[in-house]
Amino acid sequence: FEKNLEEVLHTDTVFTNVSRGQVAKAADLKSVFKTDDNEKICIEILEKGEFQLSEKERQSQLNAKFTETASNISIMCINPATERPYPVSIIEQAMKDAHISIKPNKSAKQQVYYIGALHLLSMTPAIHIAISPRESSSHVPN
């Protein structure tokens, strides 16, 4: 982990609520962290704390994973009538129509298998999908 805090943090000020600009009281920091050294406090928070994303950041990450999952399906599958891959936008729409939700703790490749995306897409009337012959022998490791 990066020890140069200037590379990681915008400020070494500790907030109780950063969106409201509420700075933590020195007495509270001293009682919790047993020091009033902001640099030591920041290091402890970075080492032991939990990373929190805003709703907008979370949604952005989910959207990116949704698109990446659709891209993986597009690479792995074909339209059986034309034997060509579907554009990612068609796969995305079919995923939305099939009400496929993305799990934030799984990789995009795992999404394809763990949520049964291929099965759900194959049940969507607007799209006929088959595993590409070049992908039928591959698998995703745990």
Side-chain angles (χ1 to χ4, degrees):
F1 127 77
E2 179 70 48
K3 290 292 183 185
N4 184 357
L5 292 182
E6 292 175 3
E7 296 291 325
V8 179
L9 303 175
H10 292 286
T11 179
D12 67 352
T13 303
V14 179
F15 294 88
T16 55
N17 187 328
V18 72
S19 61
R20 293 185 180 154
Q22 296 172 340
V23 178
K25 296 177 184 168
D28 293 340
L29 292 175
K30 182 87 169 171
S31 70
V32 172
F33 295 100
K34 310 298 185 239
T35 183
D36 57 0
D37 182 342
N38 275 11
E39 187 171 317
K40 288 180 182 175
I41 293 169
C42 288
I43 289 172
E44 185 171 340
I45 290 171
L46 288 170
E47 288 175 344
K48 298 178 183 176
E50 295 179 11
F51 185 70
Q52 296 180 352
L53 295 175
S54 71
E55 181 60 32
K56 191 174 185 180
E57 290 168 319
R58 247 188 317 280
Q59 192 58 48
S60 176
Q61 285 183 353
L62 277 175
N63 289 343
K65 195 170 281 190
F66 187 89
T67 300
E68 187 179 355
T69 301
S71 178
N72 286 337
I73 293 170
S74 177
I75 290 167
M76 295 172 57
C77 299
I78 59 169
N79 178 338
T82 64
E83 295 186 4
R84 298 194 53 125
Y86 281 104
V88 175
S89 60
I90 299 291
I91 300 292
E92 285 178 323
Q93 188 58 52
M95 287 171 64
K96 289 174 187 172
D97 293 346
H99 304 288
I100 293 175
S101 61
I102 297 300
K103 307 290 184 249
N105 58 339
K106 303 257 185 235
S107 74
K109 283 189 178 183
Q110 289 173 323
Q111 304 285 338
V112 175
Y113 295 96
Y114 291 111
I115 64 175
L118 300 178
H119 176 70
L120 288 172
L121 286 175
S122 69
M123 295 178 2
T124 304
I127 187 170
H128 300 284
I129 195 164
I131 302 289
S132 170
R134 70 179 190 283
E135 291 294 332
S136 62
S137 63
S138 65
H139 71 282
V140 174
N142 290 336

